[in-house]
Amino acid sequence: MTTLRDRTAATLLTFARPYLALHLGVLGVKIRRAPFPRDEAVASVPGPDAARLLVVGDLAASGYGVLLHGMAFPAQLGGAWSGRTGRGCSWKTIADPLMTVRRAAHHPRLGAAAADADAVIVALGVPDVLQLTASEDIVASAGRLVARVRSAAGREVPVLLAGLPPMTQFQGLSPAAARLIGSQLRRVDDALRQVAAQFAGVEFVGFPSWDLGGTTLRRAFSFSAMHRGWASAVAAGLEVSDPGPAPDPGSSVVVEAEQVAQEAAAATGVTDTSVTLAA
């Protein structure tokens, strides 16, 4: 039986849909104007017992907002994970700034890309927030994505579902709009948590909390900091089989991984802020 609460929620979403569709259109315009990596991609960190990672995602996986591949989420993830484990790694990406969970689950290259992966990281959900994708559709599509990955890579391959970034803090929004988008963020995160609970070896890692001192991010925002902080949190939750011995802090892999992060942070043409991430 449909309750009053269900009917009220449906009515609110009916009014919310055009508003969020407008935000999706604005996002599309911003994507066309935004910087993306222009240099030649380097998709590996050398080292022993190298792991092969597959990153499936939307904005962050595409390198939105940064000019160098080394500053983007996939490279920052590879460097952070190698730094933690002392192992080498390489990575592939299936990415599009407006990729939905459903599109990713049906992507024609997903099976082939996952076939030799030792772990798969999924960073999706921003377009689904703005499209008001139903929770049950996200659960079904994310479940299909996991099933396709494991059909190609094996039943034991770990899959990590990354929580969404705090979209409401990237630009000035009215309190009502911030509450609306915030509620949709939580709903998508909850759907991804539900999928993680359904499969052994599938984990959900929430976006690390932002220390903003009560302020809202506007123009003065470093996407490289966001990519780096998110990658560090995901790397901390990424368990890949046969980790080997604990890394020596002076090992060449750890040193090189740290150099990658330092060079990305010091790159010119990027405005950094005092915003910090608390994992």
Side-chain angles (χ1 to χ4, degrees), residues 169-272:
Q169 297 171 346
F170 292 173
Q171 57 180 320
L173 293 172
S174 68
R179 285 195 297 270
L180 171 62
I181 292 179
S183 68
Q184 298 308 308
L185 286 171
R186 292 188 293 272
R187 183 178 58 80
V188 173
D189 273 356
D190 287 344
L192 296 176
R193 285 191 184 93
Q194 182 178 337
V195 174
Q198 293 175 354
F199 295 88
V202 177
E203 301 292 337
F204 174 86
V205 175
F207 194 93
S209 61
W210 286 86
D211 180 11
L212 297 174
T215 63
T216 300
L217 293 171
R218 294 178 186 271
R219 290 187 176 181
F221 173 68
S222 170
F223 277 99
S224 66
M226 185 196 75
H227 288 293
R228 185 166 59 252
W230 198 5
S232 296
V234 171
L238 181 60
E239 298 290 341
V240 183
S241 61
D242 189 23
D248 175 0
S251 71
S252 59
V253 177
V254 175
V255 171
E256 182 160 354
E258 291 175 346
Q259 288 175 344
V260 169
Q262 291 170 359
E263 290 171 0
T268 59
V270 177
T271 301
D272 285 320

Side-chain angles (χ1 to χ4, degrees), residues 55-262:
V55 180
V56 182
D58 46 51
L59 289 165
S62 302
Y64 178 78
V66 297
L67 295 176
L68 303 175
H69 282 93
M71 302 167 71
F73 175 75
Q76 291 288 341
L77 172 63
W81 186 83
S82 289
R84 293 180 64 89
T85 63
R87 299 173 61 185
C89 75
S90 62
W91 55 91
K92 299 177 182 177
T93 61
I94 293 179
D96 184 279
L98 294 177
M99 180 95 74
T100 62
V101 179
R102 186 180 187 280
R103 278 185 57 202
H106 292 82
H107 198 283
R109 291 198 296 111
L110 180 63
D116 60 353
D118 296 309
V120 178
I121 299 89
V122 179
L124 294 164
V126 172
D128 287 290
V129 166
L130 299 179
Q131 291 184 17
L132 279 176
T133 304
S135 296
E136 54 268 29
D137 291 340
I138 293 174
V139 170
S141 294
R144 175 182 172 85
L145 190 155
V146 172
R148 284 192 65 196
V149 161
R150 289 188 159 173
S151 175
R155 295 175 61 86
E156 303 303 320
V157 66
V159 180
L160 193 150
L161 306 178
L164 275 69
M167 295 165 57
T168 56
Q169 297 171 346
F170 292 173
Q171 57 180 320
L173 293 172
S174 68
R179 285 195 297 270
L180 171 62
I181 292 179
S183 68
Q184 298 308 308
L185 286 171
R186 292 188 293 272
R187 183 178 58 80
V188 173
D189 273 356
D190 287 344
L192 296 176
R193 285 191 184 93
Q194 182 178 337
V195 174
Q198 293 175 354
F199 295 88
V202 177
E203 301 292 337
F204 174 86
V205 175
F207 194 93
S209 61
W210 286 86
D211 180 11
L212 297 174
T215 63
T216 300
L217 293 171
R218 294 178 186 271
R219 290 187 176 181
F221 173 68
S222 170
F223 277 99
S224 66
M226 185 196 75
H227 288 293
R228 185 166 59 252
W230 198 5
S232 296
V234 171
L238 181 60
E239 298 290 341
V240 183
S241 61
D242 189 23
D248 175 0
S251 71
S252 59
V253 177
V254 175
V255 171
E256 182 160 354
E258 291 175 346
Q259 288 175 344
V260 169
Q262 291 170 359

